Amino acid sequence: MHIISNRFWESLKDSIFTPKAGGVDAKINEVKQRLPIPVFWLLGKTQSGKTSLIRALTFSDAAEIGNGFQACTRRSRFYDFPSASHPILRFLDTRGLGETEYNPSEDLAWCANQAHLLIVVMRALDMNQAEVVAAVSTIHKQHPEWPIIVVQTSLHEGYPSADSEHIQPYPYQQAPFAPQVPHALAQALLHQRDWFKSLSVHFVPIDFTLPEDDYEPNDYGLNALWDTMETVLPLGMIGLLRGTEQHKELLDFHAQQAHPHIIGYALLNIGMGAIPLAGLPLVLAVQAKLFHSIASIYGLELTGTLYAEFAALMGTSVGIGLLGRELFKLVPVYGWAVAGAGSGAMTYALGKVFCVYLYGVKRGAMPDQANLRQAYREAFNTARQYLSNKG
Amino acid sequence: MLPWLALLVLGAYWLWQHDWLYRGLAILSANFALTYCLLYWRRQRAKPVFLDTFVIEPNPNWPDNAQPIWLELEPLAKRWEKETKVLTDASKFWQLTNEVLTVVARHFHADSKRPLLEFPLPYLLKLITLVCNDIQHEVLDKIPGSHAVRVGDFLRAKQSLDYLYNLKSVFNVGHWLINWPGAAMTHARGLLFSKGMYTVTSEISNRLINAYIKKLAYYAIELYSGQLTLDDIVPTARLSSASKKDTAKSLARDQSIEPLRFLLLGQVSSGKSSLINALFGEVKSASGILPTTSGITPYVLERDGLQQAIILDSAGYGGISQDQSRAALKGEWKNIDVIIVVCNATQAARHEDAQQLQVVRHYFQQECQNQTLPVIIAVATHIDRLRPVREWNPPYQILQPDNAKARNIREACLAISKELSLPTECIVPVCLAPEKIAYNIEEGLLPLIHEHLNAAQRVRYLRCLREQQAESYWRHWRKQAVRAGQILLEKV
């Protein structure tokens, strides 16, 4: 076990500090292409809040939001999350329906070939949705297997007065709605839901506002939306993405930044590990990239000393995962999948622990070995739970 | 001649004999000078033949496509004014008449091979009567002349009408059909002679020709655009059948004057019913977040300053299961004077509204050319929901915005104006939220309607005219059929 573990750290070190030219990157890219990245298609009328939704989900600054009374998004575009280089989720933002001098049929046909899942966005108080409902029903006929989420936005327009605040706790998940929900708003929500009664659709009322709108929080219902996305798309990475963090006290701003990247690389390694006989070098190359990118997020240079210290602190605990991976790989198909999940979980856990370590380095207070190993084990187990059966 | 010259010479000789020659010559010269001066003075002071200038203006009630013809006639009038023989040469006269009528007829019946013939026969007689009558009243009567003629004005007008109505009886003979304008002008010439004007001066001739062209064109336009009615009745004095039904429906008391008809148009839940309630100041129509109105519901509104109006509330389009609303709306277009488009300011999807207005414009351009496009006003509702969403402190300076809210209201109005192709001044931002005091109805919307009252009345005039013509058309048919039936019966 020691031998395997030592070999791992050595090999990773080689990958980090003496990257092999050519070949590896091309292969990584090839795998990346084949990774199933779910595409969420956002469909709805103009100014219904499609781009706001993307902004709240992805924090993308590129997502430009309109003023509420004039069309803003002019063409369809993809928003990769967390980053364009290592996307986990992909959102397809489309031009709104109902714009003057815009015939959406061509765009709709194009989008139908790009997506895997439909998010329909409609303002809760906008009853003029014939076009949207018709489009949804057409899409459903073409792709009956697609999950559909209907997001009902701009809830504040249905509040009894301008001074009303969002209702806490979020009351829209129970049926019938809790009595705090204003009657008119409840009526409007239910009326819209009635249009989709022949389809199996998930509804999420939300209200994403601008800070100057003075509603607290600005992303009211975001958690409910994530929950629903998790329900309809049983992919482990969504759960992982939202983070069930046991080590919150050890996480700081940098770690939060690094989190989606770690998942991105972990996913990539699921793909790598699942390739029969792909071999260690690819997995290691991806992990090497992850280490570099985490270090750069922390604003630190990844030096030999830093790496050696980390490897020494981690010691043998990493080897187990690696051993498992290698053994399982001998079993055809099932073993590849498990081995893939193992590689992914390992990458994830390594990334997480590296964050914890760098956090300590930055603060000048080194975490002790036991804590670090504990963190690794927990992260590994969490990730394996999410990724092994759902990846 | 000789005896006169001899007299002159003998006179001069007699003066010379008495040594009075130079004195006599001086007196004579002074006399000549005085006479010349007096004549010169008189010529300067002489008044033109026509005391008043007359102007013939196009009728503002004409449909839109009739107005440009008027301008087209100007060069034609200029050209013919210089012709002097028109009044005496019948063939020239026929040529002029033909030219004017062709210009007008070609405009209205561009696709017809012989546009001149595109009108019913009795209308032609009416045309002649009207031209003669007008030329007599407006041109000949303004020539100062014998008092006897002036006294006979009324009589003569009647005579001229009788004279022309008598033509009806000889109409079929054919001669009048060919040369009726000649007949009209002969009549005019006769009147001039009776005033002692044996020579027609160029001034009178010019005036007459100009007046003739204008008058002829005027009535020809009325004729071809379908404005002439056989019965001399004012169209708006009668109630159109649609209004009859609606007033009965709303249990209003009997009306004597056709009201203006307003149609509220807009997407589902854009606030049409709320606008009705705000206009009436009481709850008349159910309004709420969910679509409430179905079909077209009439309301009779009476307000100070605005004469009685019928407001039609329509079901919004764009909602689910609201497919029939478009067809129902289309049936209403021709009965409408003012369209009020109700737009939710926070609704950026205005394609439906733009499309609906496009249908209206197309309808009046293609299918209903002899009526004119109703006045279109847009109302931007829900402006209280524009950003900043929590703020609502009316009144706002919308024309010169001084804060974010006013700026957004203005921007929203501009966006509506652009997307619906309406002038900016036809967009009124309002707030009709039930929990707030209605904003900008009294101070914004009603004044705007008042501004467009003239245009709306013109639309109403044409609308009533059409309906009446349709009615009178069938009435005449019926009369003729009955008569034919009588004759048949008598013969049997």
Side-chain angles (χ1 to χ4, degrees):
Chain A
M1 202 178 280
H2 275 269
I3 302 162
I4 296 168
S5 172
N6 285 337
R7 215 186 84 199
F8 168 75
W9 291 115
E10 280 300 309
S11 314
L12 185 55
K13 187 183 168 192
D14 284 349
S15 301
I16 292 173
F17 297 107
T18 49
K20 291 169 191 65
V24 176
D25 275 343
K27 276 203 182 111
I28 290 178
N29 269 336
E30 195 191 313
V31 173
K32 225 196 276 182
Q33 297 296 318
R34 276 187 287 168
L35 280 182
I37 302 168
V39 175
F40 291 75
W41 173 8
L42 283 107
L43 174 80
K45 284 172 71 175
T46 176
Q47 289 301 308
S48 56
K50 297 178 290 301
T51 313
S52 311
L53 202 105
I54 287 180
R55 207 180 159 106
L57 290 171
T58 68
F59 310 106
S60 169
D61 292 333
E64 200 185 322
I65 295 172
N67 53 18
F69 54 83
Q70 257 171 319
C72 179
T73 305
R74 287 282 157 212
R75 55 182 63 230
S76 307
R77 71 165 279 188
F78 287 106
Y79 288 90
D80 290 332
F81 182 64
S83 68
S85 55
H86 295 90
I88 302 164
L89 302 177
R90 192 167 262 187
F91 295 95
L92 174 55
D93 193 12
T94 53
R95 191 169 171 184
L97 303 180
E99 243 180 78
T100 47
E101 292 164 22
Y102 168 56
N103 181 3
S105 50
E106 208 175 293
D107 281 357
L108 287 179
W110 182 81
C111 292
N113 291 322
Q114 307 292 322
H116 307 105
L117 183 140
L118 190 61
I119 298 186
V120 182
V121 185
M122 50 176 65
R123 280 156 85 135
L125 263 64
D126 186 357
M127 295 301 153
N128 188 352
Q129 301 283 2
E131 201 181 353
V132 176
V133 174
V136 170
S137 124
T138 315
I139 294 165
H140 179 71
K141 272 194 199 108
Q142 282 174 350
H143 304 278
E145 77 287 357
W146 281 11
I148 300 173
I149 302 175
V150 174
V151 177
Q152 299 171 297
T153 63
S154 294
L155 299 180
H156 65 264
E157 292 183 346
Y159 291 172
S161 81
D163 306 326
S164 311
E165 296 292 342
H166 289 316
I167 304 153
Q168 297 290 9
Y170 186 80
Y172 301 99
Q173 267 157 337
Q174 28 183 315
F177 294 136
Q180 304 90 292
V181 178
H183 178 68
L185 179 60
Q187 260 189 323
L189 293 172
L190 293 173
H191 186 81
Q192 288 188 336
R193 290 177 184 202
D194 201 42
W195 300 332
F196 299 95
K197 57 173 180 271
S198 60
L199 312 174
S200 132
V201 171
H202 301 262
F203 296 96
V204 190
I206 59 161
D207 199 353
F208 295 169
T209 46
L210 295 179
E212 62 260 37
D213 295 343
D214 197 22
Y215 279 98
E216 192 55 44
N218 285 331
D219 52 2
Y220 182 69
L222 181 64
N223 273 327
L225 179 59
W226 274 122
D227 283 340
T228 313
M229 280 163 65
E230 234 176 292
T231 329
V232 299
L233 202 68
L235 287 176
M237 75 279 261
I238 295 179
L240 208 54
L241 199 59
R242 299 177 58 197
T244 44
E245 287 303 337
Q246 287 101 342
H247 297 277
K248 285 245 157 72
E249 72 277 7
L250 292 178
L251 286 172
D252 56 355
F253 171 75
H254 297 296
Q256 281 171 17
Q257 296 279 301
H259 180 69
H261 288 268
I262 298 172
I263 298 168
Y265 285 104
L267 275 174
L268 194 55
N269 260 353
I270 296 176
M272 295 295 173
I275 302 170
L277 311 174
L280 210 49
L282 280 178
V283 174
L284 290 176
V286 171
Q287 282 170 352
K289 278 174 183 289
L290 171 64
F291 272 59
H292 275 294
S293 78
I294 292 176
S296 74
I297 286 171
Y298 277 83
L300 292 168
E301 199 193 338
L302 190 54
T303 59
T305 343
L306 199 70
Y307 174 76
E309 246 177 42
F310 176 66
L313 271 172
M314 289 302 296
T316 53
S317 50
V318 181
I320 305 159
L322 195 72
L323 179 68
R325 197 191 77 90
E326 291 296 318
L327 283 178
F328 267 115
K329 228 171 165 184
L330 298 173
V331 187
V333 188
Y334 176 74
W336 296 335
V338 174
S343 296
M346 190 177 127
T347 310
Y348 176 78
L350 268 180
K352 280 284 157 188
V353 177
F354 195 53
C355 283
V356 176
Y357 170 71
L358 290 185
Y359 177 69
V361 171
K362 278 210 102 165
R363 289 204 317 171
M366 205 61 70
D368 65 23
Q369 199 173 29
N371 263 350
L372 216 55
R373 287 181 186 177
Q374 170 72 13
Y376 176 81
R377 260 193 304 280
E378 280 175 8
F380 183 82
N381 287 335
T382 317
R384 199 173 49 181
Q385 235 173 27
Y386 275 111
L387 299 176
S388 59
N389 53 345
K390 292 164 176 177
Chain B
M1 192 57 118
L2 262 178
W4 291 106
L5 281 173
L7 209 66
L8 253 170
V9 175
L10 284 173
Y13 175 70
W14 184 77
L15 282 173
W16 175 71
Q17 259 188 338
H18 289 81
D19 276 346
W20 286 350
L21 181 64
Y22 296 109
R23 219 176 297 166
L25 274 178
I27 290 167
L28 257 172
S29 307
N31 256 334
F32 273 122
L34 184 64
T35 314
Y36 183 79
C37 282
L38 280 172
L39 277 174
Y40 181 79
W41 178 76
R42 187 176 176 273
R43 203 177 318 149
Q44 292 296 308
R45 293 288 304 269
K47 285 172 190 165
V49 180
F50 288 94
L51 291 174
D52 312 311
T53 52
F54 62 91
V55 186
I56 301 168
E57 295 284 358
N59 188 341
N61 278 331
W62 284 345
D64 298 327
N65 55 352
Q67 310 282 353
I69 306 173
W70 200 250
L71 303 173
E72 226 176 273
L73 285 165
E74 285 299 333
L76 192 135
K78 283 260 158 8
R79 185 154 49 80
W80 277 96
E81 265 178 18
K82 293 189 181 70
E83 293 276 344
T84 44
K85 280 190 181 165
V86 179
L87 289 185
T88 46
D89 188 342
S91 68
K92 276 247 158 120
F93 209 84
W94 174 237
Q95 202 187 328
L96 165 66
T97 309
N98 203 32
E99 218 170 287
V100 173
L101 285 181
T102 314
V103 166
V104 178
R106 214 186 309 120
H107 231 93
F108 287 98
H109 299 280
D111 41 355
S112 171
K113 262 187 189 168
R114 307 175 78 176
L116 270 183
L117 301 179
E118 293 284 339
F119 53 83
L121 195 62
Y123 284 95
L124 183 68
L125 268 176
K126 181 103 180 174
L127 182 74
I128 305 163
T129 319
L130 288 166
V131 173
C132 285
N133 205 19
D134 277 11
I135 287 191
Q136 194 168 322
H137 271 296
E138 293 180 20
V139 185
L140 298 179
D141 285 358
K142 286 177 183 170
I143 302 172
S146 82
H147 55 280
V149 180
R150 280 182 173 265
V151 173
D153 269 0
F154 177 69
L155 190 70
R156 196 183 55 238
K158 199 177 174 309
Q159 272 172 353
S160 125
L161 277 177
D162 292 345
Y163 167 67
L164 280 158
Y165 272 122
N166 288 336
L167 285 184
K168 272 185 187 170
S169 51
V170 287
F171 208 79
N172 290 337
V173 177
H175 174 253
W176 287 104
L177 181 65
I178 296 163
N179 200 15
W180 61 264
M185 272 298 141
T186 316
H187 186 64
R189 234 178 22 238
L191 281 170
L192 279 176
F193 286 146
S194 72
K195 286 187 179 190
M197 302 221 169
Y198 297 106
T199 50
V200 179
T201 63
S202 65
E203 188 191 356
I204 295 175
S205 160
N206 285 354
R207 294 285 180 124
L208 264 179
I209 293 168
N210 197 324
Y212 179 70
I213 291 175
K214 289 279 169 65
K215 273 294 161 191
L216 187 63
Y218 183 95
Y219 286 113
I221 289 172
E222 298 247 304
L223 173 70
Y224 283 103
S225 67
Q227 298 251 354
L228 273 185
T229 39
L230 282 177
D231 314 310
D232 286 325
I233 30 178
V234 185
T236 42
R238 296 175 71 243
L239 205 60
S240 73
S241 67
S243 302
K244 234 180 258 170
K245 227 184 301 165
D246 290 338
T247 40
K249 206 164 160 191
S250 68
L251 299 172
R253 65 170 184 279
D254 278 350
Q255 286 162 280
S256 52
I257 294 172
E258 169 70 17
L260 282 175
R261 294 171 64 89
F262 291 72
L263 174 66
L264 296 193
L265 203 68
Q267 302 186 9
V268 257
S269 309
S270 54
K272 294 176 292 300
S273 298
S274 303
L275 181 61
I276 294 256
N277 294 343
L279 281 171
F280 282 90
E282 58 180 301
V283 176
K284 282 265 182 183
S285 177
S287 65
I289 290 172
L290 305 184
T292 46
T293 311
S294 59
I296 292 173
T297 322
Y299 298 90
V300 176
L301 177 67
E302 272 165 346
R303 289 190 72 117
D304 298 336
L306 183 73
Q307 67 183 109
Q308 199 183 43
I310 289 181
I311 309 222
L312 300 163
D313 189 11
S314 68
Y317 38 80
I320 316 287
S321 76
Q322 239 104 28
D323 296 340
Q324 307 90 351
S325 61
R326 275 201 185 80
L329 279 175
K330 192 168 181 203
E332 286 297 328
W333 297 144
K334 63 175 190 301
N335 296 325
I336 294 303
D337 306 317
V338 180
I339 292 177
I340 299 183
V341 189
V342 183
C343 297
N344 183 341
T346 64
Q347 170 67 270
R350 301 191 186 94
H351 179 62
E352 303 256 8
D353 299 316
Q355 211 179 16
Q356 200 60 237
L357 285 186
Q358 200 47 42
V359 172
V360 177
R361 290 184 183 120
H362 186 263
Y363 176 80
F364 282 98
Q365 276 163 17
Q366 301 287 327
E367 291 173 48
C368 197
Q369 286 175 334
N370 55 9
Q371 259 175 270
T372 195
L373 182 69
V375 174
I376 301 175
I377 291 173
V379 173
T381 57
H382 296 113
I383 52 170
D384 51 317
R385 285 194 200 154
L386 290 169
R387 291 206 156 95
V389 283
R390 300 249 201 192
E391 182 199 315
W392 184 246
N393 303 313
Y396 288 101
Q397 299 287 325
I398 293 153
L399 285 179
Q400 280 99 30
D402 51 356
N403 59 14
K405 190 91 175 183
R407 240 186 322 276
N408 277 333
I409 294 174
R410 182 163 171 77
E411 290 295 318
C413 289
L414 291 177
I416 291 172
S417 144
K418 185 166 163 271
E419 286 176 36
L420 303 193
S421 316
L422 288 174
T424 328
E425 57 274 16
C426 287
I427 321 282
V428 205
V430 300
C431 171
L432 309 166
E435 74 276 8
K436 292 170 185 138
I437 300 162
Y439 169 64
N440 219 13
I441 296 292
E442 302 286 339
E443 54 287 48
L445 179 61
L446 290 176
L448 186 72
I449 292 174
H450 273 281
E451 260 175 51
H452 289 88
L453 221 48
N454 277 342
Q457 278 160 353
R458 179 175 162 232
V459 179
R460 178 181 63 182
Y461 176 83
L462 283 173
R463 167 168 69 80
C464 296
L465 189 66
R466 291 306 155 231
E467 170 146 331
Q468 214 173 281
Q469 273 174 344
E471 259 177 31
S472 112
Y473 176 77
W474 292 110
R475 211 169 46 235
H476 281 281
W477 260 107
R478 214 180 125 264
K479 235 192 261 170
Q480 283 170 12
V482 166
R483 265 190 217 135
Q486 280 173 346
I487 293 164
L488 265 178
L489 281 174
E490 277 166 15
K491 278 192 177 170
V492 167

